[in-house]
Amino acid sequence: MFQKRKASLVIMLFSMMAFSIIAHLFFIIMWQQGFVMKGINDGLSQMLPFKQFIYDKYVAGDFFYAADFGLGGGFFSSIAYYFTTNLFFLPWVLLTWLASMLIGFTPNFEYWAALVIPMSIVKQTAVFYVAYLFLRKVTNMPRGAYVGAAVYALSPFFFRHEVYWDILTDSLFWVPLMLLGIEKIIRNESSLLFILAVALVMISNFYLSYMTLLIGAIYAIARMFYHFTENEQPVKKQLWRYIGGGVLAAGIASFAFIPAAYSFIGNVRPPYKDAIKLFDINDDIFTNPRVLWVPVFIFVLFFVKELYQHRLFRFFAVLSIVGIIAHFIPYVGSMFNGFSAPQQRWESIIILSFGAMLAIALNSASYWHFKRWPLIAAILSIMTLFLYKWLSPDHAISNGLIIISLLWLAFFIVFYYRKWAFKWLAVSIVIVVLIAANIFSANLANGGEGVATKSFIYSQAYHAHEQENLVQWMQQQLTSTDNRIDWLVPTRNNTPMVQDFKGTSVYSSILNGDLLHFYLRDLQIDMGRESVSRYGTLGNRTNLMALEQVQFYMRPSSDESVPYGYELAKQTTNYRAYENTDLLPVFRVTNESYNEQALEKAPVLAKEQAMLKGVIREAGTITAPEVATIPIKQTKVEGATWLNNELIVDGESGHIQLTLDTPKRMKTLYVQMHIEGIKHPTGFTLQVNEYKTTRKKSNSIYRTGFNDVTVAVNAAKTVTITLPKGHYQLGDLAIYGEDYQTLDKALERKNTAQMIWDDGKAFGEVTAQDGDVLATSIPYGKGWRATVDGKKVAVEKVNYAFVGIPLEKGKHTVEFTYLPPYWPIAAWLSILSVLVLLVLRIYKAKKMN
């Protein structure tokens, strides 16, 4: 009997994988023609680079911190939102590592791009199977559950998110697994699956765990009031098992969840303040869905009166109807997204309900005959398809989906009259789903968001060989392993991961909040492009580039903005590399401590010079250094009106020309201003002399909320601010001059710190005087610990966002080490929780015997 069940399971899994392969047929064929099953935006900007980056770090034995994660950061915590503990990704890391050891190959970016389709097929098969287990459990109808699971797993929800943000398709697996665990508790079976489901989703992705747990809570509450079977546990007992199991699961997941949650709390992202619509038809759910597809064979079921006699069908039909309505209510999307910007990422429960409805309906198909309701349902379906299109003309129609919907309706009417067997109706539905999956994939490839191609990947817009070759040349010229290259392909802040160099940029939904404030608030470093969840470049500010060891600066040949002190080192057809070897070390000893609060209103140039002269601390005593203010002799406005900080540009562009009294010794001008587009429908370019930067439109969910900008330009007698047509708030304009004497003096100082920084550790010897502080360019994080001569000392945040420690007089052995926030406690809590679970399972097994 066991062998027979095992064989049946293998056959089922193979059939599910075969259907998944057919559903991926469009992308399999298009791969041969140069397409990659990844979105051209976040797919290439985050998903693929992170997989390559994490694999490289894990194989190298670096599990928590990387010096080349932007300016340095705890990547284990920051990209736990993505893949560092993702249970659908880590097996591929292991398999790839084993293959590389056996075959002797080095996985590169192209390898991970080629692996996209196999990874997707395997995941979809797992989703298919776990959905089948849930539907079989609740309906006790295996054949119908299989078809319902196919509708769920092969849905547009899967393909859209797998192409653009494949972490989100994990929810299609976790939701039915958790609901299956909940059903086992309700039916007085083991709590083990519920505990494992909660623990594993919290380990795999802490963001998805919020959404999954919320869906699970809604389902559990609904089931308390709506019973499927006669022998369900009392509500009170259910609650105790949910609470006890949930606490134990949270304990098991602590090692991954606590550092990730802490990183999320420490992130900086402006709260979503825009008005959320009460109702918004933002998706064509019948003819060209973005996320939620209501297939015609599901729509028909809503009108088959006889099916509502089935208690289970009523539950899932109501859940589906409520879900479809909620799909068009942005408040619901906001709630499932942590009460932030509305996102349609929670609809897996609706599609799973469709699967349950279908499983029950197919099992009851024999009762449909000789009734009028199926025929009426078919007619209503046809009418609704065209009515919906008429009501939402802005949505592009998918002719393919319309055609197969009408063909299926015709088949359904014939089925209704001919009394065909269950299998023919089931087969017709699976065929429609497989065709629809490929049609939807084709629509994705041809849509506005776009699917990547191999030619695009190796173009100048992403990873051209010309760029790669120049980067490799610069890396060979680096005078220290600490030194960096300031280069990123426009909008691609993870270029350093793709092209494998230590850069100055990174793009992730969660980043070091202190570093983000350092960029956006404290130093007002312009990144060339306003956007949340990223930082990059150092605004062409030579002082900061010296502090962060930026030896090379690379830009397209057409870019005329070059920071002071950087000389042309190498030029190719389309790019130029500039070099400056006058850099400060990662570790510096100083006895001048500037007071952070006293610098709060000071010009950003004063803050830079304070960091060069000494160190900025909360406990500092020195006030802000004096910097040169450049007087504005004359202001001339062209193509615009500027009054009371309100700038209105009527023509194609407007100019504010400032005539200055700039001393000859000045090399760079720091132009500070407050700039904000007022009800600006599009993003806009701000140009100051040779420097250009872009700002987001006024209603963009990706604007930073920080509108104080500082732009560094070459010293000149005039500064011209240019803006396109629009309405702006422009004020607090001030200009400061930098002659770099402070930097020259800092470069001349003797370095008394002989230390090495190697990702999550730093060590060496430091000679200090009383009152000295060891300041570093290592970004500060709660996970950093320090010892001086073997004794623990408190790590201090200095220069707004970096690691430092005070020192006593003498020669010291200093060591820094990094572990994720609360890691020792969280790791021990996980171990203890696993032991508790094992003890409880052993005790229960003995009690049953």
Side-chain angles (χ1 to χ4, degrees):
M1 180 65 72
F2 174 76
Q3 292 296 330
K4 187 176 180 180
R5 287 182 178 176
K6 187 176 180 181
S8 298
L9 175 60
V10 171
I11 291 170
M12 178 180 289
L13 290 174
F14 268 108
S15 69
M16 290 175 172
M17 181 168 285
F19 282 132
S20 180
I21 291 171
I22 296 170
H24 282 79
L25 204 56
F26 172 82
F27 284 114
I28 293 172
I29 294 171
M30 295 306 289
W31 168 261
Q32 307 301 321
Q33 299 179 26
F35 280 77
V36 178
M37 190 182 164
K38 268 289 157 276
I40 205 167
N41 294 322
D42 282 350
L44 290 186
S45 289
Q46 291 185 313
M47 305 303 152
L48 284 181
F50 285 156
K51 289 172 183 175
Q52 173 73 49
F53 181 80
I54 293 168
Y55 174 82
D56 289 342
K57 294 302 171 185
Y58 281 3
V59 168
D62 298 321
F63 296 102
F64 303 126
Y65 195 95
D68 55 350
F69 184 70
L71 295 177
F75 72 92
F76 177 85
S77 302
S78 290
I79 45 182
Y81 183 97
Y82 300 91
F83 300 116
T84 51
T85 57
N86 188 283
L87 298 178
F88 283 100
F89 171 64
L90 294 181
W92 293 96
V93 171
L94 179 60
L95 289 172
T96 300
W97 176 73
L98 290 173
S100 69
M101 298 294 289
L102 292 172
I103 303 173
F105 80 102
T106 302
N108 55 18
F109 189 82
E110 189 171 343
Y111 166 83
W112 291 104
L115 209 57
V116 166
I117 294 177
M119 291 175 74
S120 179
I121 290 171
V122 170
K123 185 195 292 188
Q124 192 172 59
T125 303
V127 169
F128 201 152
Y129 181 64
V130 76
Y132 165 76
L133 293 178
F134 170 74
L135 294 176
R136 187 186 66 180
K137 182 73 174 179
V138 296
T139 66
N140 197 26
M141 302 167 185
R143 294 188 303 170
Y146 187 95
V147 181
V151 172
Y152 177 75
L154 310 179
S155 65
F157 185 98
F158 180 91
F159 285 98
R160 174 178 171 78
H161 288 104
E162 190 67 18
V163 168
Y164 297 132
W165 315 276
D166 53 282
I167 53 169
L168 299 178
T169 54
D170 296 5
S171 66
L172 287 168
F173 178 87
W174 298 118
V175 167
L177 186 68
M178 176 168 291
L179 298 191
L180 183 58
I182 290 171
E183 282 295 331
K184 284 181 172 290
I185 287 178
I186 292 171
R187 298 167 193 236
N188 199 23
E189 299 174 20
S190 172
S191 301
L192 180 61
L193 184 60
F194 174 77
I195 294 169
L196 290 177
V198 174
L200 293 177
V201 71
M202 291 179 72
I203 290 169
S204 188
N205 189 300
F206 89 100
Y207 168 71
L208 289 184
S209 67
Y210 165 78
M211 188 166 59
T212 305
L213 290 169
L214 186 55
I215 290 171
I218 293 170
Y219 181 85
I221 292 170
R223 288 285 282 111
M224 289 175 187
F225 297 97
Y226 200 97
H227 305 291
F228 290 174
T229 64
E230 296 296 329
N231 300 313
E232 296 182 0
Q233 276 205 97
V235 170
K236 188 174 181 180
K237 287 187 177 180
Q238 291 182 38
L239 285 172
W240 277 114
R241 292 180 72 177
Y242 292 143
I243 293 169
V247 169
L248 190 56
I252 294 171
S254 294
F255 76 97
F257 185 82
I258 289 177
Y262 181 85
S263 185
F264 171 78
I265 293 169
N267 188 43
V268 172
R269 185 162 181 151
Y272 186 75
K273 296 180 180 179
D274 290 351
I276 299 176
K277 294 181 181 179
L278 181 63
F279 193 81
D280 184 21
I281 299 180
N282 52 16
D283 196 359
D284 184 344
I285 60 176
F286 294 113
T287 65
N288 194 15
R290 292 178 67 253
V291 175
L292 179 65
W293 179 41
V294 182
V296 66
F297 50 80
I298 296 295
F299 191 75
V300 165
L301 301 182
F302 287 117
F303 299 99
V304 181
K305 182 181 178 182
E306 289 82 3
L307 289 175
Y308 288 89
Q309 296 172 12
H310 200 296
R311 185 172 183 80
L312 278 174
F313 185 88
R314 290 201 301 271
F315 177 85
F316 286 106
V318 170
L319 190 59
S320 298
I321 293 169
V322 171
I324 291 170
I325 295 170
H327 174 76
F328 296 107
I329 300 176
Y331 277 106
V332 177
S334 175
M335 178 184 71
F336 278 98
N337 196 36
F339 297 94
S340 184
Q343 295 286 0
Q344 295 172 314
R345 296 170 177 170
W346 59 273
E347 283 84 346
S348 55
I349 184 61
I350 308 174
I351 309 167
L352 191 61
S353 298
F354 291 168
M357 289 173 59
L358 187 59
I360 298 161
L362 288 173
N363 196 70
S364 310
S366 60
Y367 302 112
W368 297 16
H369 300 305
F370 308 109
K371 304 290 185 181
R372 67 182 183 277
W373 286 105
L375 185 58
I376 293 173
I379 295 170
L380 285 171
S381 298
I382 295 171
M383 293 173 60
T384 303
L385 284 174
F386 290 102
L387 179 63
Y388 188 88
K389 179 57 189 169
W390 178 71
L391 290 174
S392 55
D394 293 337
H395 293 291
I397 192 167
S398 173
N399 293 324
L401 290 181
I402 287 287
I403 291 169
I404 63 169
S405 296
L406 294 175
L407 287 174
W408 185 87
L409 281 169
F411 173 86
F412 172 72
I413 293 170
V414 174
F415 165 85
Y416 164 65
Y417 281 112
R418 296 299 299 270
K419 306 181 187 178
W420 284 349
F422 156 89
K423 64 181 180 181
W424 292 110
L425 185 58
V427 167
S428 72
I429 290 170
V430 172
I431 291 173
V432 167
V433 169
L434 290 172
I435 295 172
N438 284 281
I439 290 173
F440 184 76
S441 296
N443 290 342
L444 285 177
N446 298 323
E449 293 174 90
V451 173
T453 62
K454 296 175 187 177
S455 60
F456 179 85
I457 287 175
Y458 292 107
S459 72
Q460 292 186 30
Y462 192 73
H463 186 193
H465 293 299
E466 182 184 357
Q467 299 167 358
E468 184 180 27
N469 292 336
L470 186 52
V471 166
Q472 289 177 355
W473 179 85
M474 288 187 289
Q475 287 182 296
Q476 293 170 359
Q477 311 305 313
L478 291 174
T479 56
S480 168
T481 56
D482 293 326
N483 292 358
R484 299 180 181 274
I485 299 170
D486 188 329
W487 155 246
L488 62 88
V489 177
T491 78
R492 305 285 179 179
N493 286 56
N494 284 329
T495 295
M497 293 184 188
V498 175
Q499 300 184 5
D500 193 23
F501 65 91
K502 186 182 286 188
T504 61
S505 63
V506 69
Y507 170 34
S508 172
S509 291
I510 295 173
L511 290 170
N512 183 326
D514 292 318
L515 262 182
L516 290 175
H517 273 140
F518 176 77
Y519 265 84
L520 299 171
R521 181 193 63 195
D522 302 319
L523 272 294
Q524 297 175 18
I525 304 170
D526 183 76
M527 307 178 205
R529 175 191 180 214
E530 180 193 17
S531 188
V532 296
S533 302
R534 69 188 74 209
Y535 63 82
T537 84
L538 288 159
N540 289 12
R541 285 153 65 173
T542 302
N543 290 335
L544 295 178
M545 296 170 82
L547 284 162
E548 293 301 319
Q549 298 79 49
V550 179
Q551 181 176 339
F552 283 99
Y553 175 89
M554 173 178 164
R555 288 297 185 273
S557 300
S558 58
D559 192 335
E560 299 177 357
S561 181
V562 181
Y564 173 80
Y566 283 78
E567 301 294 337
L568 183 64
K570 189 175 180 63
Q571 183 171 355
T572 63
T573 304
N574 296 293
Y575 299 95
R576 292 174 181 170
Y578 303 86
E579 184 179 13
N580 186 356
T581 55
D582 290 334
L583 308 174
L584 295 168
V586 173
F587 303 90
R588 298 181 299 119
V589 177
T590 178
N591 60 5
E592 294 187 29
S593 293
Y594 288 83
N595 183 268
E596 185 175 310
Q597 188 173 358
L599 283 163
E600 187 174 349
K601 301 296 183 182
V604 294
L605 179 56
K607 297 176 183 180
E608 283 186 12
Q609 293 193 2
M611 293 163 66
L612 293 171
K613 292 179 176 180
V615 63
I616 301 173
R617 305 170 62 196
E618 286 186 4
T621 57
I622 307 175
T623 57
E626 294 290 331
V627 293
T629 301
I630 307 299
I632 300 173
K633 295 170 62 178
Q634 184 180 357
T635 301
K636 183 180 180 182
V637 181
E638 297 178 346
T641 57
W642 187 29
L643 184 64
N644 296 327
N645 295 337
E646 196 169 323
L647 178 69
I648 300 175
V649 179
D650 297 316
E652 289 298 314
S653 64
H655 311 276
I656 299 176
Q657 189 178 81
L658 308 173
T659 302
L660 310 176
D661 190 6
T662 306
K664 289 184 179 180
R665 71 177 189 279
M666 296 302 169
K667 304 296 188 297
T668 301
L669 298 179
Y670 281 55
V671 184
Q672 286 190 216
M673 70 185 81
H674 177 94
I675 176 71
E676 188 173 356
I678 301 174
K679 294 182 180 180
H680 218 278
T682 61
F684 60 92
T685 298
L686 165 68
Q687 181 169 353
V688 182
N689 285 11
E690 73 276 6
Y691 189 92
K692 292 182 181 180
T693 185
T694 61
R695 309 291 293 175
K696 291 293 182 185
K697 60 183 179 181
S698 56
N699 65 342
S700 171
I701 63 173
Y702 302 110
R703 65 189 186 278
T704 62
F706 292 90
N707 298 304
D708 291 328
V709 175
T710 296
V711 173
V713 297
N714 295 330
K717 293 292 184 179
T718 60
V719 166
T720 302
I721 300 171
T722 303
L723 286 162
K725 184 177 182 179
H727 190 180
Y728 307 90
Q729 186 178 35
L730 176 63
D732 300 333
L733 189 61
I735 300 176
Y736 304 92
E738 173 60 285
D739 58 8
Y740 295 105
Q741 291 185 18
T742 303
L743 175 59
D744 291 340
K745 291 177 181 177
L747 292 167
E748 290 170 2
R749 293 193 194 102
K750 182 181 178 182
N751 184 26
T752 55
Q754 305 302 318
M755 295 191 64
I756 298 171
W757 179 21
D758 182 16
D759 288 322
K761 56 184 180 292
F763 51 91
E765 293 186 342
V766 180
T767 303
Q769 302 296 322
D770 283 331
D772 278 356
V773 175
L774 177 63
T776 79
S777 57
I778 300 175
Y780 175 84
K782 189 174 180 63
W784 279 107
R785 297 161 177 81
T787 62
V788 176
D789 300 327
K791 296 179 181 178
K792 290 183 179 179
V793 296
V795 175
E796 186 178 334
K797 180 170 65 177
V798 302
N799 291 337
Y800 301 106
F802 299 92
V803 167
I805 54 171
L807 295 170
E808 296 178 354
K809 184 177 181 179
K811 190 173 185 179
H812 305 285
T813 299
V814 178
E815 185 173 358
F816 294 95
T817 56
Y818 179 88
L819 286 173
Y822 303 107
W823 174 258
I825 296 172
W828 280 112
L829 182 58
S830 292
I831 294 169
L832 179 62
S833 299
V834 170
L835 292 174
V836 169
L837 178 61
L838 290 174
V839 169
L840 289 175
R841 298 304 299 174
I842 293 169
Y843 173 77
K844 186 174 182 179
K846 287 184 177 180
K847 190 176 180 181
M848 291 178 67
N849 293 332

